[in-house]
Structures are given as structure tokens and as C-alpha cells.
Amino acid sequence: MELRVLRYFLGVAREGSITGAAQTLNVTQPTLSRQLKDLEDELGQKLFRRGSHHVSLTPEGMLLRKRAEEIMEMVHKTESEFGSMGENVSGDVHIGCGESEAMRQIVEIIRALREEYPEIKFHLFSGNADDVMERLDKGILDFGVLIQPVDISKYDHLALPVKDVWGLVMRRDNPLAAQEAIERKDLADIPLLCSRQILRPGGVWNPCVEWLGGKVEKLNIVATYNLIYNAALMVEAGVGSAIGLDKLVNATNLSHLCFRPFAPRLESGLDIVWKKYQVFPEAAGIFLEKLQEKFPSC
């Protein structure tokens, strides 16, 4: 399977038309059609549904699109790493992260590195722990910032010297907003939005589920989310209140929303992780050195 053919395939998938893709890719339509047919023959699967004026992906085609995008992302990352080799320190550092106030610690390192090595570029990917670990395992990301609970046994890691505080994001006109803190009994029967990471099954100890009494299924969870921004829009619209972390939503006096911590207090630690036995290009290696300098005893 050639990279050129994968580029052709992705071009057609994006354009939804062989004619349009041929123009964008600067190849003839017969050449493009033949290459796609050869690709289908090679894989033994039909990748496109062909209409009179457009094409769409079959389920097999959608799977290949996901894999092809990952492959091309790795190709670009590898080209960038080798292209950055030279006298001046340059290159790209790819970091995946959940939404957390602790990212300020990482951002401060990025700022300092940019002053010392202005040709290093940083690329942030936001997602929950599952999203970040999937990209780490495939080599698309160099580092991941993960909010506990999550199994990090297969990674090298540094613990960050901060903790996130769990609580409830709600509208200011919610009766619970009059309280200084939220107890477990306060959550009974009210409509809730909950992070999918909390609900994820598995053997990892989950302090949030434990705080909730281990009976999450008995809560009135009306929606789930992986990142808090859109969940906050639903809270503002009156869909429900969101179980989440402090300082991620505008909860100032000028906002329609507020945050109240859980009582007893519930906190989650954070780790920055990377694949074991990872051989980093120079830019990512320097970033790791700065991490180890800043968090030597964590």
C-alpha cells in the first residue's frame, strides 16, 4: 500500500467526488479511478458507494479513512522530526491533554522553552484520557497529561504537584447554589451531566464513583460529555447540572454559572506520561528534561 494511494483515497473521501478530487490532487480522473479500484482489490473490500455525481464511504471505507489519517499524521510527524535535525534546535512537540487548570504548569514550561529555543513548535490535542492514550500508543503524541483515575502502568510518568477539585457546575438560580458545598444526598433525583471517564467500566479504582457511593447507575444522568465546554452550554440552557472539575468553566459573579465543591472534598491527581523506552527527537527530549527539572521530586 503506497502513501501516494492513501493520499488519493483521502482526497476522494474529503471531496466526495472523484472529479473534484482529481482536480485538487492534479491527476487525471481515469488515473484516480484506477488507483482506487486497485486499492479496493488489494484490500479485498469495497471502499466507496459510487453514485452518478458523488461517492460516499462504506463502513470499510470509513475504517480505512481513520487509519489512513493516522498513518499520514505519523508520516508528517516523522518528516518534521528529520527535517528539524541541524545546528539549531527545532522541531515539533505533540502533547495530548484533558481539560485541567494544571495545564498552566505545562504552559509555563512551553513559554520558557520557546524563549530559549524559538524554533521549537508545540501542538496540543485536547481529549479525555481514552483519546489521549490511543494517540500516545500509536505514536501520534509524544506526551499526555492525564487526570486520575486512569491506568498509567504502561507509561513512564511524572506526577504534577497540583490536584483538581471535583464538584458541581450549575446555574446560579439553582437552589443548590446557595450551599457552600455539595453532598452526595444533594444529587439524588436531579438531572446530571457526567463525564464519560467517570462512567468508564474497568478495574481502575475510581474515587469519583466511590464518592458517589458506587451507585452511579441510580443517578439521573441525562447526558454525558468528554470535554466540559459544550457541557457547560447545556448547563446554562437548563438541561441539568454537570459533575466536573473546578476552574474549567467561567463561574465568576458575571457568569450565569457557578461551581460548588463536593463535601467531603474530592481531588484528582494528574500525571504527564510518555511511552516506555521512547526514543525522542531533540525537541521532545529537551522538553522532557525541562519537565524533570521542574518536577524533580514528583
Side-chain angles (χ1 to χ4, degrees):
M1 189 184 301
E2 298 181 16
L3 294 176
R4 171 177 51 82
V5 178
L6 287 182
R7 290 190 179 99
Y8 289 169
F9 167 78
L10 288 173
V12 175
R14 284 191 296 266
E15 295 290 334
S17 162
I18 293 179
T19 301
Q23 294 173 347
T24 301
L25 296 167
N26 197 28
V27 297
T28 65
Q29 185 173 334
T31 297
L32 185 56
S33 296
R34 185 176 64 254
Q35 293 284 356
L36 295 178
K37 182 62 169 61
D38 290 345
L39 180 60
E40 289 181 318
D41 291 343
E42 180 181 356
L43 295 176
Q45 300 290 340
K46 185 176 180 180
L47 302 174
F48 294 99
R49 298 187 184 95
R50 292 165 172 81
S52 55
H53 300 291
H54 72 282
V55 296
S56 60
L57 292 175
T58 63
E60 294 79 10
M62 287 187 283
L63 174 60
L64 180 60
R65 178 175 186 169
K66 183 176 188 296
R67 295 290 179 255
E69 287 173 342
E70 292 169 352
I71 290 169
M72 296 313 300
E73 198 167 349
M74 276 297 299
V75 169
H76 295 151
K77 186 173 184 288
T78 302
E79 291 174 343
S80 175
E81 289 172 354
F82 278 86
S84 66
M85 293 177 179
E87 294 183 1
N88 296 325
V89 177
S90 62
D92 300 272
V93 181
H94 298 260
I95 305 169
C97 49
E99 292 178 314
S100 169
E101 177 72 8
M103 275 302 294
R104 292 186 183 275
Q105 304 267 339
I106 305 303
V107 169
E108 180 57 30
I109 295 177
I110 292 174
R111 182 199 61 77
L113 268 179
R114 285 281 303 149
E115 290 182 357
E116 189 173 355
Y117 304 103
E119 294 187 32
I120 294 180
K121 297 179 181 179
F122 292 85
H123 308 275
L124 299 185
F125 167 81
S126 295
N128 63 18
D130 291 335
D131 300 329
V132 172
M133 289 191 294
E134 179 183 2
R135 287 175 168 254
L136 269 173
D137 293 343
K138 291 176 178 176
I140 297 172
L141 296 175
D142 299 310
F143 301 93
V145 179
L146 303 179
I147 304 168
Q148 295 296 343
V150 64
D151 183 5
I152 59 172
S153 59
K154 63 180 179 180
Y155 303 110
D156 286 327
H157 61 94
L158 290 169
L160 301 182
V162 290
K163 291 185 181 296
D164 281 327
V165 177
W166 287 91
L168 196 66
V169 178
M170 70 191 94
R171 287 168 54 119
R172 287 192 177 275
D173 58 4
N174 189 314
L176 292 176
Q179 301 179 186
E180 292 186 0
I182 302 298
E183 299 180 14
R184 190 170 68 196
K185 62 181 177 60
D186 297 324
L187 303 181
D189 300 324
I190 67 171
L192 294 171
L193 286 69
C194 187
S195 165
R196 288 198 292 273
Q197 184 170 335
I198 295 175
L199 301 177
R200 182 179 59 220
V204 179
W205 175 68
N206 192 320
C208 194
V209 172
E210 183 178 272
W211 188 93
L212 293 168
K215 300 177 180 178
V216 178
E217 69 279 359
K218 293 187 177 182
L219 296 176
N220 182 21
I221 298 175
V222 299
T224 62
Y225 67 89
N226 67 330
L227 297 176
I228 192 66
Y229 179 80
N230 288 334
L233 296 180
M234 288 195 285
V235 173
E236 192 168 353
V239 176
S241 301
I243 297 174
L245 301 173
D246 193 11
K247 298 181 180 179
L248 299 184
V249 171
N250 180 11
T252 63
N253 290 333
L254 298 178
S255 170
H256 295 298
L257 304 180
C258 64
F259 176 89
R260 297 293 180 266
F262 286 153
R265 190 176 179 88
L266 177 64
E267 299 177 331
S268 279
L270 298 101
D271 298 272
I272 184 161
V273 306
W274 59 96
K275 290 173 67 174
K276 288 185 177 181
Y277 315 113
Q278 175 85 316
V279 178
F280 284 121
E282 188 173 20
I286 291 174
F287 178 70
L288 177 57
E289 290 174 3
K290 294 296 183 182
L291 287 173
Q292 292 168 330
E293 289 175 9
K294 187 173 179 65
F295 312 123
S297 59
C298 297

